Amino acid sequence: MAISPTDSLMQQVQSRPEGTAFIFHEDVWTYRRLADEVDRAARGLAAWGVKAGDRITLHMINRPEMLVAYYACFRLGAIAAPLGTAFKYAELATLLQQLKPALYIGESGLYQNIARIDAAILPRKNRFTVDGAPEKIYGVQPWDDVLKQDTPADLPIPASHKPALLIHTSGTTGQPKFVTHTTDTLAATADLLGKHIGLWPDDTIVLTLAMAHISGMICALTLIGLG
């Protein structure tokens, strides 16, 4: 049986903690560093009040914080709901009205399309950007405020059959729809992809697919899980 994304990450931490998990521009992330940041983000989210089943919207281009946020959601049993980076206000408003997220984690370059969203749908105190929040302009919160939090309690072990990811599609009617994945289905898909492409642990892959979409996210999870 395929193992969950967080378990496969921890296997790599145990076997090759200083091995390279990924490189972002010239910044090298080891498996230990990635796991430490995931743990810090998960504990910060838990201390902020995020619990299993809560929906967390992720609104970023491919960057380390996007990957960390995915793993942190999986670690808590929260439901990650990435938003397309090309969407404008009207499309995002429709998606967010359907999602009713507990938290928004985005980046300042994309937040301008979120700023006008009604606070009844997404409270301003629950909006965070990861790259120098434009607080004075939009009133959004800095992501570091979450990372500074910590919970003294052990994190829960989420159920692998519960929803872990909501990926939007264009739908057949022109309105966005959502496809639900569990950590079981994500693990099985990553396992199949890993067997199909036949990679070796020291291979280097250039990821050009957007992690806001299922193809890019599955490829990222697969490559990290394979080492």
Side-chain angles (χ1 to χ4, degrees):
M1 182 177 179
I3 62 174
S4 72
T6 49
D7 286 343
S8 64
L9 170 60
M10 293 314 299
Q11 282 189 351
Q12 295 300 332
V13 172
Q14 291 167 7
S15 63
R16 48 188 299 181
E18 302 309 319
T20 299
F22 66 88
I23 300 171
F24 181 70
H25 297 297
E26 297 180 354
D27 190 15
V28 178
W29 282 63
T30 65
Y31 288 99
R32 187 194 304 277
R33 179 184 176 187
L34 175 57
D36 286 348
E37 286 299 305
V38 169
D39 184 70
R40 189 160 74 111
R43 290 187 173 280
L45 288 170
W48 205 267
V50 173
K51 57 188 182 300
D54 282 348
R55 298 172 179 183
I56 310 298
T57 52
L58 310 180
H59 193 208
M60 291 171 267
I61 61 171
N62 284 5
R63 57 187 302 141
E65 293 89 350
M66 181 71 157
L67 201 54
V68 168
Y70 269 130
Y71 277 109
C73 287
F74 300 154
R75 178 69 184 84
L76 285 175
I79 303 172
L83 302 174
T85 58
F87 284 173
K88 302 302 181 185
Y89 168 78
E91 296 159 309
L92 292 168
T94 299
L95 288 171
L96 289 169
Q97 192 163 23
Q98 293 175 9
L99 286 168
K100 295 180 173 58
L103 222 65
Y104 167 92
I105 308 171
E107 61 180 62
S108 55
L110 297 172
Y111 183 73
Q112 60 183 340
N113 291 314
I114 292 289
R116 292 188 292 127
I117 298 292
D118 194 318
I121 298 173
L122 180 61
R124 293 194 177 277
K125 65 183 179 64
N126 294 342
R127 306 179 186 192
F128 298 88
T129 53
V130 300
D131 59 339
E135 299 99 330
K136 294 181 180 179
I137 302 175
Y138 298 125
V140 69
Q141 312 300 311
W143 176 235
D144 282 347
D145 283 0
V146 174
L147 296 180
K148 291 174 183 175
Q149 306 293 316
D150 191 15
T151 174
D154 290 336
L155 295 177
I157 299 176
S160 62
H161 65 281
K162 293 291 184 70
L165 176 72
L166 288 173
I167 288 282
H168 59 76
T169 71
S170 59
T172 55
T173 63
Q175 294 298 320
K177 292 182 173 65
F178 291 95
V179 175
T180 304
H181 282 275
T182 67
T183 52
D184 280 342
T185 62
L186 291 174
T189 306
D191 186 58
L192 286 172
L193 179 60
K195 291 176 179 176
H196 177 71
I197 56 182
L199 296 174
W200 293 91
D202 289 326
D203 285 343
T204 299
I205 307 298
V206 177
L207 181 63
T208 58
L209 298 169
M211 287 191 292
H213 301 286
I214 189 68
S215 54
M217 193 210 62
I218 286 292
C219 282
L221 296 180
T222 301
L223 298 174
I224 288 175
L226 287 174

